[in-house]
Amino acid sequence: MRVWLCWAHGTGKTTILKLFDRPKITEIARDAIGELWMSLNEMDFKTKIAFQQIIFWRQLQRERSMQDFISDRTVFDNLAYMSAIGDTEELKFMEERVKLHIEQNPYDFILYFPIEFPLEDDWLRYTGDEFQAEIDKRILFYLDKYGVKYYTVTGPVEERKKFIDATLNYENTWAPRNLLTPRYHLV
């Protein structure tokens, strides 16, 4: 089962990811930034593009190599960030690659968590509420552009966990896709 938990700089994902005994794809950006030895604020235009390329290709590779996983990020995040950076040539190439990737390796579930918590200032992530909202909007744009079904989950971390439990079946077996309605909103 291929599951993506979609956050735009949200909080609570680490807590939720730890609750599920499934293979995980996490920390690709943190690993890559550790190799570059500079914060995102220190990067120039070309370095930001290279940084997104590194993350993009590693995400693709990890997703292709695993049939069963939960991921806190995916290639749609890279599209959102690359479009915000503004390199249209590289963005066009990445969009074409994503189209092929999701045709060959579709996600079984995408759980979208709208912005409900303040940013965590941890040196790594881009900061600013406006930028956070812009990335969130761009991720949703790409999900819609590619016709990807997703489920919206809101509320405190414990309520989110309960919804994920109910959706993915707490017994570590996964609920069949047809039991859920796309763009389900838990309120």
Side-chain angles (χ1 to χ4, degrees), residues 97-112:
R97 186 63 187 102
V98 166
K99 183 176 186 282
L100 180 64
H101 178 67
I102 62 173
E103 287 171 359
Q104 295 174 347
N105 305 285
Y107 299 101
D108 293 300
F109 290 101
I110 292 181
L111 303 176
Y112 166 69

Side-chain angles (χ1 to χ4, degrees), residues 66-78:
M66 299 172 71
Q67 290 301 311
D68 182 24
F69 66 80
I70 295 176
S71 181
D72 62 347
R73 294 289 177 198
T74 190
V75 293
F76 295 110
D77 294 79
N78 294 109

Side-chain angles (χ1 to χ4, degrees), residues 124-135:
L124 171 65
R125 65 184 83 238
Y126 291 104
T127 57
D129 294 339
E130 288 178 24
F131 188 72
Q132 177 190 28
E134 182 62 29
I135 294 301

Side-chain angles (χ1 to χ4, degrees), residues 6-187:
C6 172
W7 276 267
H9 298 324
T11 61
K13 72 179 174 185
T14 303
T15 302
I16 289 175
L17 282 172
K18 288 179 182 176
L19 298 173
F20 295 95
D21 184 26
R22 307 303 283 182
K24 295 168 185 69
I25 300 175
T26 62
E27 308 300 338
I28 292 174
R30 290 182 189 280
D31 294 345
I33 206 163
E35 295 166 19
L36 295 173
W37 287 85
M38 66 175 68
S39 73
L40 295 169
N41 294 327
E42 297 170 318
M43 293 181 190
D44 61 17
F45 179 74
K46 287 184 177 184
T47 307
K48 286 179 182 179
I49 292 168
F51 177 64
Q52 286 304 316
Q53 290 170 326
I54 290 167
I55 297 167
F56 179 74
W57 290 109
R58 287 181 184 176
Q59 185 74 33
L60 284 174
Q61 186 276 327
R62 288 187 189 171
E63 288 184 16
R64 283 193 311 249
S65 69
M66 299 172 71
Q67 290 301 311
D68 182 24
F69 66 80
I70 295 176
S71 181
D72 62 347
R73 294 289 177 198
T74 190
V75 293
F76 295 110
D77 294 79
N78 294 109
L79 292 179
Y81 283 107
M82 188 61 80
S83 68
I85 293 169
D87 186 322
T88 55
E89 186 176 319
E90 181 62 22
L91 178 62
K92 184 178 177 182
F93 174 77
M94 288 171 66
E95 287 176 340
E96 292 169 3
R97 186 63 187 102
V98 166
K99 183 176 186 282
L100 180 64
H101 178 67
I102 62 173
E103 287 171 359
Q104 295 174 347
N105 305 285
Y107 299 101
D108 293 300
F109 290 101
I110 292 181
L111 303 176
Y112 166 69
F113 298 82
I115 300 167
E116 295 183 302
F117 302 108
L119 288 168
E120 295 173 1
D121 188 2
D122 66 355
W123 183 77
L124 171 65
R125 65 184 83 238
Y126 291 104
T127 57
D129 294 339
E130 288 178 24
F131 188 72
Q132 177 190 28
E134 182 62 29
I135 294 301
D136 185 62
K137 184 172 83 174
R138 290 171 189 258
I139 289 172
L140 292 173
F141 166 80
Y142 281 110
L143 291 173
D144 289 338
K145 178 179 179 171
Y146 290 98
V148 176
K149 296 175 183 177
Y150 60 91
Y151 307 90
T152 299
V153 184
T154 63
V157 172
E158 277 305 311
E159 291 300 315
R160 293 175 179 207
K161 183 207 174 293
K162 287 178 188 175
F163 177 76
I164 296 168
D165 281 346
T167 303
L168 304 180
N169 192 344
Y170 187 71
E171 275 36 75
N172 285 328
T173 59
W174 301 94
R177 304 180 131 161
N178 60 0
L179 294 181
L180 299 171
T181 305
R183 293 196 174 93
Y184 176 88
H185 295 273
L186 176 69
V187 286

